[in-house]
Structures are given as C-alpha cells and as structure tokens.
Amino acid sequence: MALHDAQLVHQECSSCPIRHRAVCARCETDELERLEQIKYYRSYQAGQTVIWSGDRMDYVASVVTGIATLTQTMEDGRRQMVGLLLPSDFVGRPGRDNAAYDVTATTDLVMCCFRKKPFEDLMLRTPHIGQRLLEMTLDELDAAREWMLLLGRKTAREKIASLIAIIARRDATLKLRAAKGQITFDLPLTREEMADYLGLTLETVSRQISALRRDGVIHLEGKRHVTIPDFDRLIEEAGDDSDGGMVS
Amino acid sequence: MALHDAQLVHQECSSCPIRHRAVCARCETDELERLEQIKYYRSYQAGQTVIWSGDRMDYVASVVTGIATLTQTMEDGRRQMVGLLLPSDFVGRPGRDNAAYDVTATTDLVMCCFRKKPFEDLMLRTPHIGQRLLEMTLDELDAAREWMLLLGRKTAREKIASLIAIIARRDATLKLRAAKGQITFDLPLTREEMADYLGLTLETVSRQISALRRDGVIHLEGKRHVTIPDFDRLIEEAGDDSDGGMVS
DNA sequence: CGTCTTATTGACTCGTTTCAATTCAGGTGG
DNA sequence: CCACCTGAATTGAAACGAGTCAATAAGACG
C-alpha cells in the first residue's frame, strides 16, 4: 500500500543488502560511484506486473528485496515459469530493447534500476560489471539446466520435493544458516505459481504436498509455513544426487 | 575411424568456419594471434563420450564441426538432454574445474580447445572475449527458457513439431537460407536422443513422428531425411507464437 | 545372408489432468 | 463479534495422454 508508487526508497550502495552478490559485487568504490549516479529505485506491490513480454524495456535492474517471477505464456493460456528472481538477481538483458518474458512481483518488491544505455556504456568501461554479469548468467544457465531435468524427467512428487528443497536452500543462503537439521520457512509461492514453476496443475501440486505431509517428509502449519524434519529425506524424495546443485 | 586420435586437424583462425560466430568472434587480429597460440584441436567420432559429468576438465572449447549434446542423468538412469551444441557453440565454464554434464559427440566432432588457465588469463586481458561469451551465454539462457516451456507445457505432438522446427531453423542458419517454403534436411539425432531432448520416451517420439507424417505436416524419406512442405503449418503444430524465438 | 542396432507398432497400465464440489482462511462491514 | 464474502487450497471421480512391455520391421554392416 505504502509502496505502490515508485522512487519512494533510496539508499547508499555501501549499505545495500545485495552489495556483495548483485551485478555490482566486484566493483571498486570508484566504479560504484559511477553506478550510483545512474541508479534509481522502483517498488511494486505483491501481484503487480513489472513488465509484459514484448514491451519496451529501457532499463535493467537488480532485485533488492522481494521475489519476482519470469513467465512465458502460450496463446491458449498455458503458462510456464522460467525464472524465479530473488534478491541480487538481475533483470533484463543489455543489448535488448524488448522484454522477452512477463515479469511479476510475487511479494512486495524493490528493484535497483539502471537506464539501459548508460549501463551499457558503463559496462564497456568497467570490466568488473561484465565479469560479474557473466558469472551470474552462467549460474542461471546451470540453474535452468537443473530445472530442465526436473521438468522433463521427474515425477510430480519429485518435482514438489525438489522445489521445496530449492526454496529451503535459498532461504538458508539468505539467512546464512546451514540447510541441515530442523529447517523452517514460508513458501513464497501460491499453489498455482508452484504449478507454473513445475509444469503441473495446481491440483496436482496440492495433492502431492498433502501426500508428502501424510508421509512425514514435511510438516505444514497453515498453507505456507513449512518445517522439514529431515533434509536428507527430502533430497531423497527429490531424486537428486545428494550434492543437490550446491555449485561452487 | 580416421579421427579417433586427437590433434589430427589444424588450421588457421583466419580461415576457420566459425571465426565470426564463436567466442573469438569479436577479436581483433592481434587478439586472435594470442588465442591461436594456446589453441589445439581434438576430434571425436560419432557416439564417443567427450567428457563425463564430474570429471576434471582443464580446458574449454568451441565446437568447430559436428554436433555434441549435454545430458544429465539421474541415479536410476533417467536422462535429460540440457544442451545441443552446434558449430560455434562453447563448451565448459571458465572458473569451474569439473564438468557439470556429460558431453557426447552425436556426429563426428572437431573441437577447438583452450587450456583453461591460459584462457582465463587471456579473458582478463581481452574484454572482447568476455563480451562475446556473455552474449553467447545470454543466448543460451534464452534458448534454455524456451526449452523449459516445451518441457513443462507442450504435448508430445507439439514437442516433436517444435524440435523439427528448431532443427530446420538451425540448419537454415548454417546454410544461410531462409526457413520458408520447401525445406529439406537430415535429423541429426536418433529417436532416443530426440526423446532425451524432449522429455519423452523413444516410443512416443516414434509414434508422434508417424502421426505428423500421416497428417502431412512432414514427409519422411528413410528414418532421417525430412521435408517440410509448409513451414507455417509446422509452427502452428508446435504451438509457438509465430515469431518462433527468432530473437534479434 | 545372418546379425545387430534402430525404429515402428500394438495392447495395456498408470500418472497426471480435467471438471466439479467442498473446505479453509482472511478481510470487511453490518 | 459474528456473518458474509472472496480467493486459495483441498479432495474426489472420471477421462486421457504418455509410459511400459513386448513383438515385429527395417536398415546397416560384415
């Protein structure tokens, strides 16, 4: 409610929560200053569409707080999520004028935006930005390939277990805790969004969550709050080899 | 047979068939000379494994001629292809020591290899390499996301139609012909490899190819040679919006 | 001409989807 | 404070698409 208009937030890069993970992570203080000059913030409330696929997009951005999704839609309405953006993740593509996917805020969202042209210019003069962006893009490509295995070959039950494990890990990373022992967190997605992530229907998602709960793999309080009594058991249900994509 | 040992092929970068599409595409002649000093060629015959997931990989490479695949395998043997590498595509990840996927030559294959350490050093001194690699990685990420839509939401028939359209387009790009009107090419993949690409079984692939042939969407001579009488019809069957990922 | 691999086809099974009916939780206003 | 309303989630029953298992066919090769 308080954030439905843009540009209400502002802060210094030096105290930014994503300072050391985002596209600016490798920048020296002088490079940061130049970025600081061209940046501005935008806020969206949960549920708002940030941009539609095909729309002109004259900026790129980092997610500062909150969660956003990238989705593709077919003419008949079938939807597939193709990206889940957490704090520090990058949105948009330098050198591209139009958005390739729908971007939606699933929680209240704050983004740190850079107008595309100045950002591209700065990239040419500041190798550290391009280097970090390459690293992040390669990470995303790895994640996408893990996701392809899930979509192409896993059963509904394994898909759900995998998603819960992914969220648990990311949550642990953000909170800087190890993803072992008793773990507790909130699902940031509705059943329908999970279905879009997993290539399932929301009914199947609901059924499989119920099944995992019945089997004691997860505990649920309300619809969103999850506790995982045994993380290894969850990983086993996900069908992953145990390392689980903890890419160095 | 003639190519089962490495280093049998060698040529100058200036006359290289992938000179203007690979990681080296943006390099000036002096930059190219430095690359030339650290490169070497490797050849594999069709069916050979280039590298196993998890193996140490002390080089990165470009595909010069032939086709390779990236696949992931679960413990119980389920396989999902996660990359289809054509001439000019890049293999390996700077900054990573072990292969993340199985790499297999599906046709006879020639790769232009760079030992990882010297390549990384050169990358730091040569922004053009990193810039091109970023561009290529972003393209791959887009392709992966298109692929995710296919895996998550398309029917078996749509998957087959999509794959044939993708191959037709790539074939047209390599031959520098427009992908319109009467199109003819060979499928570079076996039914099983197509199944691994599409998240299907080989039986379903076979059935759907037969169905598309019965319905006149494609013509088949032998098992591999395909003719497409009406490309728009094929695209329609693929369920894509007509632009079909011809991303600028 | 047999052998081996690759591909096709059929019959049946099973997992996920579809369609429909409740249930649940949160917020609003009487 | 409770009744009501709304959107989200759960659950059930039936339909359907893709998988499984098995038999046969078609090439490729020695």
Side-chain angles (χ1 to χ4, degrees):
Chain A
M1 196 73 86
L3 297 179
H4 65 281
D5 210 354
Q7 277 103 347
L8 293 183
V9 202
H10 195 75
Q11 60 183 7
E12 307 222 339
C13 287
S14 54
S15 64
C16 179
I18 58 169
R19 166 71 180 88
H20 299 290
R21 314 196 94 235
V23 71
C24 51
R26 292 202 187 173
C27 289
E28 313 288 346
T29 40
D30 58 321
E31 296 169 334
L32 214 53
E33 269 165 34
R34 271 173 275 159
L35 266 179
E36 190 130 31
Q37 284 165 15
I38 63 167
K39 88 179 184 192
Y40 59 99
Y41 291 91
R42 285 184 188 224
S43 301
Y44 299 86
Q45 355 172 34
Q48 268 192 308
T49 296
V50 175
I51 197 157
W52 295 100
S53 171
D55 281 2
R56 176 160 196 82
M57 187 171 178
D58 53 1
Y59 63 93
V60 296
S62 294
V63 174
V64 179
T65 58
I67 296 179
T69 61
L70 301 183
T71 56
Q72 281 196 295
T73 309
M74 296 170 69
E75 300 93 337
D76 62 4
R78 280 176 283 176
R79 288 163 54 86
Q80 177 64 52
M81 196 185 296
V82 296
L84 182 59
L85 304 176
L86 301 190
S88 83
D89 284 338
F90 190 77
V91 186
R93 175 169 175 169
R96 171 180 288 163
D97 290 332
N98 298 88
Y101 314 100
D102 297 332
V103 182
T104 311
T106 60
T107 65
D108 287 344
L109 183 71
V110 178
M111 298 204 307
C112 173
C113 305
F114 310 97
R115 271 177 306 118
K116 194 151 54 68
K117 189 68 177 70
F119 184 83
E120 286 164 7
D121 293 345
L122 196 51
M123 252 182 83
L124 289 176
R125 287 182 290 129
T126 317
H128 283 160
I129 298 176
Q131 285 165 13
R132 177 63 186 143
L133 189 53
L134 175 57
E135 196 171 48
M136 293 173 70
T137 307
L138 286 165
D139 283 343
E140 274 198 86
L141 187 56
D142 280 330
R145 285 170 168 165
E146 199 68 40
W147 200 338
M148 285 169 58
L149 175 65
L150 177 151
L151 289 171
R153 294 304 187 190
K154 289 189 177 180
T155 64
R157 184 181 174 98
E158 288 169 338
K159 284 178 175 181
I160 296 287
S162 298
L163 176 55
I164 294 175
I166 288 168
I167 295 171
R169 279 208 200 86
R170 293 194 159 182
D171 194 70
T173 320
L174 288 177
K175 293 186 193 152
L176 296 170
R177 292 195 271 87
K180 294 283 165 193
Q182 189 93 352
I183 303 166
T184 272
F185 57 92
D186 282 312
L187 293 172
L189 303 176
T190 65
R191 300 292 186 262
E192 186 171 19
E193 287 163 341
M194 290 190 234
D196 287 343
Y197 187 112
L198 300 169
L200 296 171
T201 59
L202 68 91
E203 292 96 328
T204 301
V205 168
S206 182
R207 272 187 254 274
Q208 296 298 335
I209 288 179
S210 299
L212 288 176
R213 191 191 41 191
R214 263 197 303 281
D215 300 342
V217 182
I218 60 174
H219 295 162
L220 269 183
E221 286 172 74
K223 296 164 188 300
R224 294 294 192 95
H225 194 73
V226 178
T227 303
I228 301 170
D230 179 357
F231 195 74
D232 292 336
R233 170 79 195 285
L234 182 67
I235 294 303
E236 202 174 288
E237 292 285 355
D240 288 336
D241 30 7
S242 42
D243 71 72
M246 281 270 110
V247 206
S248 56
Chain B
M1 193 76 83
L3 297 179
H4 65 283
D5 209 354
Q7 279 102 345
L8 292 182
V9 202
H10 194 75
Q11 59 184 6
E12 307 222 340
C13 288
S14 54
S15 64
C16 178
I18 58 169
R19 166 70 181 90
H20 299 289
R21 314 195 96 235
V23 268
C24 51
R26 293 203 189 172
C27 289
E28 313 287 347
T29 40
D30 59 320
E31 297 168 333
L32 213 53
E33 269 166 34
R34 271 174 275 159
L35 266 178
E36 190 130 32
Q37 284 164 18
I38 63 167
K39 88 178 184 193
Y40 59 99
Y41 290 90
R42 285 186 189 222
S43 300
Y44 299 86
Q45 353 172 34
Q48 266 191 310
T49 295
V50 175
I51 197 157
W52 295 100
S53 169
D55 281 2
R56 177 160 194 82
M57 186 171 179
D58 52 0
Y59 62 93
V60 296
S62 294
V63 173
V64 179
T65 58
I67 296 180
T69 62
L70 301 184
T71 57
Q72 281 197 294
T73 309
M74 296 170 70
E75 300 93 335
D76 62 4
R78 281 175 283 175
R79 288 163 54 86
Q80 176 64 52
M81 196 185 296
V82 296
L84 182 59
L85 304 176
L86 300 191
S88 85
D89 284 338
F90 191 76
V91 187
R93 176 170 173 168
R96 169 180 288 163
D97 290 333
N98 298 89
Y101 314 99
D102 297 333
V103 182
T104 312
T106 59
T107 66
D108 287 345
L109 182 71
V110 178
M111 297 205 307
C112 173
C113 304
F114 310 97
R115 272 176 306 118
K116 194 150 55 67
K117 188 70 177 68
F119 184 82
E120 286 163 8
D121 294 344
L122 197 51
M123 250 182 83
L124 289 176
R125 287 182 289 128
T126 317
H128 283 160
I129 298 176
Q131 285 165 12
R132 177 64 188 143
L133 189 54
L134 175 58
E135 196 171 48
M136 292 173 70
T137 307
L138 286 165
D139 283 342
E140 274 198 86
L141 187 56
D142 281 330
R145 286 171 167 164
E146 199 69 39
W147 201 338
M148 285 170 56
L149 175 65
L150 178 150
L151 289 171
R153 295 304 187 190
K154 289 190 177 179
T155 64
R157 184 181 174 99
E158 288 169 338
K159 285 178 174 181
I160 296 287
S162 299
L163 176 55
I164 293 175
I166 288 168
I167 295 170
R169 279 209 199 85
R170 293 193 160 184
D171 193 69
T173 319
L174 288 178
K175 293 186 194 152
L176 297 171
R177 291 198 272 87
K180 295 284 165 193
Q182 188 95 349
I183 303 167
T184 272
F185 57 93
D186 282 311
L187 293 172
L189 303 176
T190 65
R191 301 292 186 262
E192 186 173 19
E193 287 163 341
M194 291 190 233
D196 286 343
Y197 188 111
L198 300 170
L200 296 171
T201 60
L202 68 92
E203 293 95 330
T204 300
V205 169
S206 184
R207 271 187 254 274
Q208 296 298 335
I209 287 180
S210 298
L212 288 176
R213 190 192 42 191
R214 262 198 303 280
D215 300 344
V217 182
I218 59 174
H219 294 162
L220 267 184
E221 285 172 75
K223 295 165 189 302
R224 294 293 191 96
H225 194 74
V226 178
T227 303
I228 300 171
D230 179 358
F231 196 74
D232 292 337
R233 171 79 196 285
L234 181 68
I235 294 302
E236 203 174 288
E237 291 285 354
D240 288 336
D241 30 6
S242 43
D243 71 72
M246 281 271 112
V247 207
S248 57

